Each structure stands twice: as structure tokens, then as C-alpha cells.
Amino acid sequence: VQLQASGGGLVQAGDSLRLSCTASGRTFDLASMGWFRQTPGKKRDLVATWSGGRVSYADFVKGRFTISRDNAKNTVYLQMNSLQPEDTAVYFCAARSHYYSDNERYDYWGQGTLVTVSS
């Protein structure tokens, strides 16, 4: 499975962005897809997940970010509204074919897309 993420960029506080992540290869049995983010020197944080139609969000993005999936396009989106400077990070999409007890364990990773939010 290969993941291609896109949609990052430079925006101002309060603006919106939509990230896209398209999966190719063996995609028919993907159980979950998710978005993580990471800033230099910090651990990677789980942002949002899509799993069998159920979605979940980290507390720090609830009410602002929305994850969705277009099965026909094998694409997962992350709509990010009301962006703040603290949302600045490299955003990674991820996918997995199995459910693990570790909610942050994923098998496949995209290359990351940089989101920069200026104040």
C-alpha cells in the first residue's frame, strides 16, 4: 500500500485547509486510515482516525477538524478549519489492514505534508 498526501501550505490563523491522502495498491482491506502530525523535537500525535465509518479526534482538534473517506477514490481527507499557529506541523496520513490494541499502530505511512499557520 502506498499513500500520497497533499494539500499542505502556508495559511493565516483562522483559515482553512483540506489535506488529501490517496491510497494505492492493496487497498481493499484497509481497516483504518488516520492523520498524525509532528513538530520538530516532539513525538508524533494522532489527530484523527477513520475506522469502518467511525471517526475519532484528538481533543485538540475536536470541533475544528473533520476526517472523511471517499471509498471510490481510496482517499481520506482532513478538513481543517479555524487553524491556529499551534497547528503548524508536518501532517502524515497512515493506514492499516488490521485492528491493533495500540490505537496508534499503523502499517503504512505517507510522506508528510507541511502545514504552516501564521499568526
Side-chain angles (χ1 to χ4, degrees), residues 7-19 37 61 63-66 78-88 91 115-119:
L10 172 63
V11 297
Q12 293 185 331
D15 286 350
S16 299
L17 272 179
R18 189 177 77 159
L19 306 183
R37 71 186 189 187
V61 302
R64 300 188 299 125
F65 291 12
T66 302
L78 186 68
Q79 177 66 42
M80 305 185 295
N81 298 329
S82 301
L83 283 162
Q84 300 301 315
E86 52 266 33
D87 295 317
T88 296
Y91 285 72
V115 173
T116 304
V117 185
S118 64
S119 57

Side-chain angles (χ1 to χ4, degrees), residues 55-98:
V55 299
S56 65
Y57 301 95
D59 287 342
F60 53 79
V61 302
K62 280 182 179 177
R64 300 188 299 125
F65 291 12
T66 302
I67 188 171
S68 61
R69 178 173 173 176
D70 185 332
N71 289 328
K73 296 182 179 179
N74 290 321
T75 299
V76 65
Y77 303 97
L78 186 68
Q79 177 66 42
M80 305 185 295
N81 298 329
S82 301
L83 283 162
Q84 300 301 315
E86 52 266 33
D87 295 317
T88 296
V90 177
Y91 285 72
F92 298 89
C93 65
R96 59 189 182 185
S97 300
H98 306 282

Side-chain angles (χ1 to χ4, degrees), residues 27-48:
T27 61
F28 61 89
D29 60 349
L30 290 178
S32 302
M33 296 186 76
W35 287 95
F36 290 74
R37 71 186 189 187
Q38 189 171 26
T39 55
K42 295 187 177 181
K43 75 174 187 69
R44 187 171 53 200
D45 289 325
L46 179 60
V47 175

